[in-house]
Amino acid sequence: MLSLEVRIMKTKWKNASSVELNGENQQNANSFCEVITVLGGRRPRSTPNTDSGMWAHSMTVQDYQDLIDRGWRRSGKYVYKPVMNQTCCPQYTIRCRPLQFQPSKSHKKVLKKMLKFLAKGEIPKGSCKDEPMDSTVDDAVVGDFALINKLDIQCDLKTLSDDLKESLESEGKNSKKEEPHELLQSQDFVGEKLASGEPSHSVKVHTVPKPGKGADLSKPPCRKAKEIRKERKRLKLMQQNPAGEHEGFQAQGQPPSLFPAKAKSNQPKALEDLIFESLPENASHKLEVRVVRSSPPSSQFKATLLESYQVYKRYQMVIHKNSPDTPTESQFTRFLCTSPLEAETPPNGPDCGYGSFHQQYWLDGKIIAVGVIDILPNCVSSVYLYYDPDYSFLSLGVYSALREIAFTRQLHEKTSQLSYYYMGFYIHSCPKMKYKGQYRPSDLLCPETYVWVPIEQCLPSLENSKYCRFNQDPEAVDEDRSTEPDRLQVFHKRAIMPYRVYKKHQKDPSEEAAVLQYASLVGQKCSERMLLFRN
């Protein structure tokens, strides 16, 4: 597997002998060059051989955006890419499309649960604790880097099939009476719809109820008394006005609708309306969400670091059964606070700027949860979530994801290209990791051509094979594949040179294989921007 030391910089001089960034004189070096990205170091000693990884010391948000669009992720300053066709549990990069997102019924329940708790202090009865992470997920990156992505599974999260069934049942209740042959459609119809890439909520499947259960199909559907009164009034108006004109109503030779269109007030509420529903003045609790920059650490971040660490420590002890002496504060800082991303505040970017942040959830003046996020040119990328186990009943994993989706929509209002929410990795072969697929519409990244494919089109293939190429075009290739490796930039003996010059001085036959592997993993664009450090 790849374990390279890479340094990426932009400089005005061909020879960088006086500006090598080795940690001894970085301040002076910055006066000579503008550092774009610096990757380098060793693989963590316990990291499994099913991923390629690099240490990142400094990286622009655009560099990282390009890398995660090729399947890379970061854990602290460690940047890694799973070897998809070799690992037992392939990890597919997943992103949600927040601009089209509509919360499901289970999502709405979580939001309502939070509102009831804030308004009246209600704690749901019979709430269960969150399930621990599956062991196969822990094995993805172990040691200090074992905690990747938001893997906390809430007790009220349902499987994809349950969510689909729920939406189908709700449509069946609200739909008109169908012809008998439509009522007998099988689940094969669902599979056809999913394979076509259409959203799951557009699928209509009706099944015949078992004897003694459900509606009697031989009888007309039940109607509310209010609807019957409206229908009688409508018929009476038509009799009085044969032309069919009364208060804007026109018959146009058609019988009156038995189920008039719903008024605008009955349209589904937007996500923001559900989250920010007004609370009474005498509400039992107050929730505040603060976004603080974690790297470089802002004054607000520094002031709350210890409290944040204590929440994380309790989370690890209760949820993941860690011993009281682990993790240490230095491990916490290295994993969740340090970041290779450079802080950038361009005039056309979001008000908070780009880079790494902690989204802190303050309840009545204390931190109860922290979402670690990266704000990039095209997306908000979720890194991790930890929370106070005493508030597990609030399903904070789901709630924070919905808040992050709403946050992405808010950032999009000023920065139009920032329109996606990256949720880390989707592991279809791990039952506890399928919950990320419930945030629809969403896409999975093809591991071979690096194009985004709607998750509905991917699921049938994943049912048959753990590893899949989602791009159905057999002739499609990676558009950013390394086609000119000689243009790759190398930093060797304090000098910057193209690979075609560097390889003339190398006698080790394995060196070329390692360099070409690196180029294939990061792509042509990044290989030209980055300096591959070779000693």
Side-chain angles (χ1 to χ4, degrees):
M1 298 304 107
L2 179 68
S3 183
L4 298 174
E5 187 169 352
V6 188
R7 298 190 176 208
I8 300 90
M9 62 183 71
K10 181 179 179 182
T11 179
K12 298 177 182 178
W13 298 274
K14 293 183 179 179
N15 190 297
S17 60
S18 61
V19 294
E20 181 187 10
L21 301 182
N22 57 8
E24 298 176 359
N25 196 12
Q26 288 222 14
Q27 185 174 359
N28 183 52
N30 286 339
S31 66
F32 286 92
C33 67
E34 176 188 0
V35 178
I36 299 299
T37 305
V38 182
L39 300 177
R42 296 180 181 176
R43 169 193 310 280
R45 63 180 182 272
S46 302
T47 303
N49 291 326
T50 53
D51 76 281
S52 299
M54 303 177 288
W55 286 97
H57 301 295
S58 180
M59 180 182 293
T60 64
V61 290
Q62 186 59 59
D63 285 333
Y64 186 54
Q65 178 73 66
D66 291 342
L67 286 177
I68 65 173
D69 282 334
R70 294 184 63 82
W72 292 79
R73 294 290 292 175
R74 78 171 184 88
S75 176
K77 286 192 172 185
Y78 183 63
V79 186
Y80 63 98
K81 185 180 190 301
V83 182
M84 302 288 284
N85 57 355
Q86 295 182 20
T87 179
C88 64
C89 300
Q91 304 163 55
Y92 299 94
T93 302
I94 183 172
R95 73 178 186 185
C96 172
R97 286 174 260 153
L99 305 186
Q100 294 83 37
F101 175 78
Q102 284 293 335
S104 67
K105 188 174 181 181
S106 60
H107 295 153
K108 292 177 182 178
K109 286 181 179 178
V110 171
L111 295 175
K112 290 178 180 177
K113 179 166 56 177
M114 175 63 80
L115 288 173
K116 289 181 179 179
F117 173 73
L118 296 177
K120 304 177 182 179
E122 289 186 12
I123 297 178
K125 297 180 180 179
S127 60
C128 61
K129 294 184 179 180
D130 298 335
E131 298 177 2
M133 290 192 295
D134 190 272
S135 59
T136 57
V137 179
D138 274 343
D139 291 340
V141 173
V142 296
D144 292 344
F145 303 93
L147 312 174
I148 302 172
N149 307 314
K150 191 178 301 176
L151 307 183
D152 312 296
I153 314 303
Q154 308 300 324
C155 61
D156 53 356
L157 282 174
K158 301 178 180 179
T159 61
L160 287 173
S161 58
D162 290 340
D163 210 39
L164 176 62
K165 180 180 178 182
E166 182 181 276
S167 62
L168 297 179
E169 290 175 348
S170 63
E171 287 198 15
K173 293 177 181 178
N174 298 328
S175 63
K176 296 181 182 180
K177 182 180 179 181
E178 306 287 345
E179 293 296 327
H181 72 274
E182 186 176 358
L183 296 170
L184 297 172
Q185 289 177 344
S186 69
Q187 290 190 356
D188 291 337
F189 179 71
V190 180
E192 293 173 4
K193 283 288 186 179
L194 291 176
S196 69
E198 295 181 23
S200 61
H201 57 73
S202 66
V203 184
K204 293 185 179 181
V205 179
H206 304 276
T207 57
V208 178
K210 295 180 180 180
K213 296 183 178 180
D216 187 347
L217 299 181
S218 63
K219 297 180 181 180
C222 297
R223 297 170 59 192
K224 293 182 178 180
K226 186 177 180 181
E227 293 177 353
I228 296 174
R229 288 196 299 271
K230 286 184 177 180
E231 188 61 33
R232 287 175 180 171
K233 183 177 181 180
R234 190 183 292 260
L235 291 173
K236 186 176 181 180
L237 290 173
M238 288 188 65
Q239 291 175 356
Q240 295 174 354
N241 296 273
E245 299 179 1
H246 183 82
E247 296 181 354
F249 173 76
Q250 294 184 352
Q252 297 181 346
Q254 297 292 333
S257 172
L258 297 178
F259 298 92
K262 291 184 178 180
K264 289 185 178 180
S265 59
N266 290 335
Q267 292 297 321
K269 285 186 176 181
L271 176 62
E272 291 77 7
D273 294 334
L274 295 169
I275 292 176
F276 302 110
E277 189 171 319
S278 59
L279 296 172
E281 293 184 1
N282 60 342
S284 300
H285 301 285
K286 179 182 178 181
L287 179 68
E288 181 183 0
V289 179
R290 304 175 189 173
V291 179
V292 298
R293 185 177 289 278
S294 57
S295 180
S298 64
S299 58
Q300 300 96 323
F301 177 81
K302 292 178 181 179
T304 58
L305 179 60
L306 181 59
E307 182 177 357
S308 184
Y309 165 63
Q310 293 298 332
V311 174
Y312 175 72
K313 187 174 183 178
R314 289 203 67 235
Y315 171 80
Q316 289 299 317
M317 291 171 56
V318 176
I319 303 299
H320 300 301
K321 313 303 179 185
N322 282 16
S323 60
D325 57 339
T326 58
T328 63
E329 187 173 351
S330 62
Q331 289 174 330
F332 162 72
T333 302
R334 186 163 62 250
F335 170 53
L336 292 173
C337 303
T338 59
S339 168
L341 302 187
E342 293 285 346
E344 300 179 25
T345 54
N348 59 342
D351 293 336
C352 59
Y354 296 115
S356 298
F357 299 83
H358 278 197
Q359 198 166 40
Q360 301 173 336
Y361 294 78
W362 290 77
L363 181 69
D364 301 333
K366 71 174 185 177
I367 298 176
I368 65 166
V370 176
V372 183
I373 60 174
D374 293 330
I375 301 179
L376 305 176
N378 299 338
C379 71
V380 169
S381 175
S382 176
V383 179
Y384 198 70
L385 172 83
Y386 55 95
Y387 56 86
D388 187 334
D390 290 344
Y391 296 92
S392 295
F393 62 87
L394 290 174
S395 302
L396 291 171
V398 182
Y399 182 78
S400 65
L402 296 173
R403 290 294 299 245
E404 288 170 7
I405 290 174
F407 183 53
T408 306
R409 287 156 65 129
Q410 176 187 339
L411 297 179
H412 171 79
E413 293 179 1
K414 181 181 179 182
T415 311
S416 59
Q417 73 270 20
L418 203 164
S419 53
Y420 295 102
Y421 173 58
Y422 284 45
M423 296 178 283
F425 289 131
Y426 172 83
I427 307 177
H428 188 77
S429 55
C430 176
K432 293 180 181 179
M433 286 299 295
K434 289 186 178 182
Y435 73 94
K436 294 183 181 181
Q438 293 183 348
Y439 297 86
R440 303 287 185 93
S442 57
D443 310 300
L444 297 182
L445 186 67
C446 176
E448 296 182 8
T449 62
Y450 302 111
V451 297
W452 294 98
V453 181
I455 192 172
E456 294 88 352
Q457 296 181 21
C458 305
L459 293 179
S461 299
L462 289 173
E463 288 295 331
N464 297 323
S465 174
K466 290 182 178 180
Y467 174 77
C468 299
R469 169 193 166 108
F470 298 136
N471 192 330
Q472 297 301 310
D473 182 358
E475 298 181 359
V477 295
D478 171 15
E479 295 294 336
D480 189 38
R481 65 191 182 281
S482 177
T483 55
E484 299 179 84
D486 282 352
R487 293 170 61 92
L488 182 149
Q489 298 296 300
V490 178
F491 187 69
H492 178 60
K493 292 184 178 180
R494 300 190 177 189
I496 300 172
M497 62 188 75
Y499 177 62
R500 67 176 179 271
V501 175
Y502 168 77
K503 67 181 180 181
K504 292 179 181 179
H505 307 287
Q506 297 305 310
K507 298 180 181 179
D508 185 356
S510 64
E511 179 71 0
E512 181 177 10
V515 173
L516 294 180
Q517 183 190 14
Y518 156 78
S520 68
L521 290 171
V522 302
Q524 185 68 36
K525 289 185 298 185
C526 285
S527 70
E528 292 183 27
R529 287 201 302 258
M530 299 179 179
L531 287 182
L532 175 60
F533 182 81
R534 310 304 281 165
N535 53 24

